[in-house]
Amino acid sequence: MRAGVVVTAHPGVEDLAVQAEELGLHSFWLNDTPMVHGDPFVALGLCAKATSRIRLGIGVTSPALRSAPAAASGFASLNALAPGRIICGIGTGNTARRTLGMRPTTAATLESFTAALQDLCAGRTIEYREGDRVRDVRFLHTGAHVNTADPIEFVVAALLGPKAAAVAGRRGTGLISFGLLDPTAWHALHDARRHAAHDTPRDPDSRTDSYVVTALHILDEDEDPHGDAARDATGHLVLSLLAFAADTAADAHAFAEQLGPEEREAVRRLLDRRGTTATAPDRHTKLYPNYLERIAPEDRDLVLPSLMNTLALVGTRDDLRARIATLEQAGIDELLIQPVIDPPTEMAQLAKLLT
């Protein structure tokens, strides 16, 4: 299985991209959460100039964040800096929208946005709509400005449901998911993509790889798998799930209701600890600060073993290799880790684990 890394955009991130390339990692991704982290297009431009081989991805942008022409300009500009190395991740904006206190967009909007980006980034014309006004648009300057000749890889973000996987099937794209380490769930996503793609003409240059984002902690001899070190290495994933559950706890079909009693209690404690409620209109300002960053020591008790085991890879080298082999059999092409404790060391551990 290939290996890659996902980090947040910040000054100096290009140095991490260089280290990832030197370690032989296949891809280097940046999150797109405008009110939480730095701008990924700016940061990935620096990474493109500092590297020569590693693939560079944005995971993921959304039609609720940028118009198709604006997003296409960003990706095609990156493609001019790093020809053929760019990966465009697209989702409904679950995190990026919720951190604004807004809801994600729909699967239908995701699909039309994906189609528009694919066409624009390949130099084709699209119908661009704003309200009742529709106009044909395309890049008016290419060459030195943007690169529409070299292919850009497209991947659609799918969490648990089949709708996004079906979009990937119809658009001939890959899949990416966050913390989804259940092989059965991946088989279902791949089945949904294959079913949707059954009668869809295929672009021979398109890639349909599958990526999973997780956290990695390799246990030392006799180390507690649920000790402070393991909780610190995986806590950012666990708290991201708890924050989502807390944010949506008042919805008609609340995600929190799918959790067990201990996990629902952790959601309740998180809301109380952050001084907000599931119905407070400003709860996003209390739940998402420090999102996907190292957790505070006082929050370690919220990092439940059940959620660590579900979302992250914690174990001995032999245990992890066996678990990764199972994921590979389920059709995962690349394992992406999101390191927060010591990214250079964690990237090196990943590279060694998969060689």
Side-chain angles (χ1 to χ4, degrees):
M1 185 184 289
R2 301 191 311 253
V5 64
V6 185
V7 296
T8 58
H10 60 274
V13 73
E14 67 273 19
D15 296 332
L16 279 179
V18 170
Q19 294 172 39
E21 182 169 83
E22 291 173 346
L23 287 167
L25 299 186
H26 181 260
S27 64
F28 187 87
W29 302 63
L30 296 177
N31 298 123
D32 191 10
T33 44
M35 293 293 101
V36 183
H37 305 125
D39 186 85
F41 288 90
V42 172
L44 217 57
L46 296 173
C47 296
K49 296 296 289 183
T51 60
S52 61
R53 178 199 57 79
I54 197 167
R55 298 181 68 81
L56 303 170
I58 288 183
V60 297
T61 195
S62 165
L65 297 179
R66 295 176 177 84
S67 69
S73 179
F75 283 107
S77 297
L78 289 172
N79 203 26
L81 296 174
R85 291 198 283 137
I86 302 304
I87 310 173
C88 169
I90 310 169
T92 59
N94 187 62
T95 299
R97 291 285 289 168
R98 293 191 185 282
T99 55
L100 300 175
M102 302 295 172
R103 292 186 178 275
T105 190
T106 64
T109 301
L110 170 67
E111 184 163 1
S112 61
F113 183 72
T114 302
L117 281 187
Q118 288 175 308
D119 284 339
L120 287 173
C121 288
R124 296 186 288 266
T125 299
I126 68 163
E127 283 190 347
Y128 176 63
R129 178 185 297 274
E130 289 187 6
D132 295 331
R133 192 178 182 89
V134 181
R135 293 292 184 269
D136 288 346
V137 301
R138 60 177 173 82
F139 281 116
L140 302 180
H141 298 280
T142 56
H145 298 85
V146 296
N147 178 0
T148 59
D150 291 290
I152 290 175
E153 179 181 357
F154 289 87
V155 297
V156 167
L159 294 178
L160 297 176
K163 289 184 179 180
V167 171
R170 287 189 292 270
R171 297 310 313 165
T173 77
L175 287 169
I176 186 170
S177 194
F178 183 86
L180 188 63
L181 300 179
D182 179 3
T184 301
W186 272 104
H187 283 301
L189 289 178
H190 288 143
D191 286 345
R193 180 172 62 179
R194 279 191 295 269
H195 180 74
H198 182 66
D199 294 321
T200 304
R202 304 257 51 84
D203 180 349
D205 293 326
S206 66
R207 299 176 59 140
T208 57
D209 290 352
S210 294
Y211 301 83
V212 63
V213 183
T214 186
L216 176 72
H217 183 70
I218 302 174
L219 296 174
D220 293 331
E221 187 175 357
D222 298 325
E223 182 183 350
D224 181 356
H226 304 130
D228 287 352
R231 290 175 190 250
D232 288 347
T234 63
H236 56 301
L237 265 68
V238 173
L239 260 66
S240 72
L241 183 141
L242 293 178
F244 169 69
D247 191 15
T248 59
D251 291 356
H253 302 286
F255 173 74
E257 295 305 312
Q258 303 175 35
L259 301 175
E262 186 181 14
E263 291 79 11
R264 290 198 299 272
E265 172 60 19
V267 171
R268 188 200 64 76
R269 294 206 315 272
L270 177 65
L271 283 166
D272 184 63
R273 194 169 296 179
R274 298 295 185 262
T276 190
T277 69
T279 57
D282 67 342
R283 61 187 181 276
H284 61 287
T285 66
K286 307 290 182 61
L287 290 171
Y288 293 107
N290 204 45
Y291 186 78
L292 291 180
E293 301 289 346
R294 182 168 182 165
I295 66 168
E298 56 268 26
D299 286 334
R300 284 177 180 148
D301 63 304
L302 298 174
V303 185
L304 304 179
S306 60
L307 295 178
M308 293 171 64
N309 296 336
T310 298
L311 300 172
L313 294 171
V314 178
T316 65
R317 294 184 187 279
D318 289 343
D319 291 339
L320 293 177
R321 287 187 173 121
R323 194 172 179 189
I324 290 169
T326 301
L327 291 171
E328 191 167 22
Q329 291 168 5
I332 306 299
D333 298 288
E334 187 159 340
L335 180 71
L336 305 173
I337 66 163
Q338 183 133 28
V340 297
I341 305 300
D342 182 358
T345 298
E346 293 175 74
M347 291 191 304
Q349 289 175 334
L350 175 66
K352 186 176 180 180
L353 183 67
L354 295 185
T355 57

